[in-house]
Amino acid sequence: MGRAQRAFEAEDCGPDEQILAIAHFQDRAAFAQLFNRFAPKVKTYFLRMGAREEQAEELAQETLLAVWRKAWQFDPERASAWSWIYTIARNLRIDALRRERHAHVIPPDPEEAPTTPEQALDALEGEAGVRRALQQLPTDQAEILRLAFFEERTHSEIAEQLGLPLGTVKSRIRRATEKLRGSLEGFH
């Protein structure tokens, strides 16, 4: 490990090599160099995307910590270091926006509750239709929808909990919602 690790610790290593050093050796010096190089760029990206100063700082740190934790997933043949880090940053920003949106959800107005027996029956039939449509989904898709919509988990949280790649989680949610939409098309 000594000679290979020393090669990664060289000051002139590029970001790809620094991420690989983190992945293979948990190289703190490589991480420090990568952090110094990318944290300001990532923070600027978050600021341009509308984040507040303290939120941009926090998300930039969270992004670089994710780089440390996920360095083993980096493949320089599939993406450059910046593209890979940007993707992590973008996904964290989306997750942050979702959390903010859910934090500001206003509970339904009791005045909008069904007032006639017909409205109450329609609401119950609607719920039953959704339940039947959910039962027709493959188990993996139903589970992901339950986590996403009923437990309000972010895509990243679901991926981590189920041990799946983030792209798999997103595609299963998309396929499941398309199937639900198809099952509920004629229903009003």
Side-chain angles (χ1 to χ4, degrees), residues 37 43 56-57 74 84 102 119 160 172 176 187-188:
R37 178 181 284 173
K43 180 180 176 185
E57 181 76 33
F74 175 67
W84 189 69
H102 287 302
Q119 288 175 328
E160 189 172 318
R172 285 184 185 171
F187 193 80
H188 294 298

Side-chain angles (χ1 to χ4, degrees), residues 52-115:
R52 298 176 317 280
E53 178 77 23
E54 63 276 358
Q55 184 183 34
E57 181 76 33
E58 193 173 301
L59 285 169
Q61 289 179 8
E62 195 174 331
T63 299
L64 275 295
L65 285 174
V67 168
W68 174 266
R69 288 191 312 271
K70 298 178 179 189
W72 62 272
Q73 296 176 344
F74 175 67
D75 181 356
E77 293 181 15
R78 293 183 62 207
S80 69
W82 173 243
S83 295
W84 189 69
I85 293 170
Y86 164 78
T87 300
I88 292 171
R90 182 180 56 88
N91 290 338
L92 287 172
R93 176 67 177 147
I94 290 168
D95 291 346
L97 289 171
R98 282 191 184 120
R99 282 192 301 272
E100 286 177 12
R101 184 178 62 212
H102 287 302
H104 301 301
V105 171
I106 300 170
D109 186 353
E111 298 291 321
E112 294 177 12
T115 55

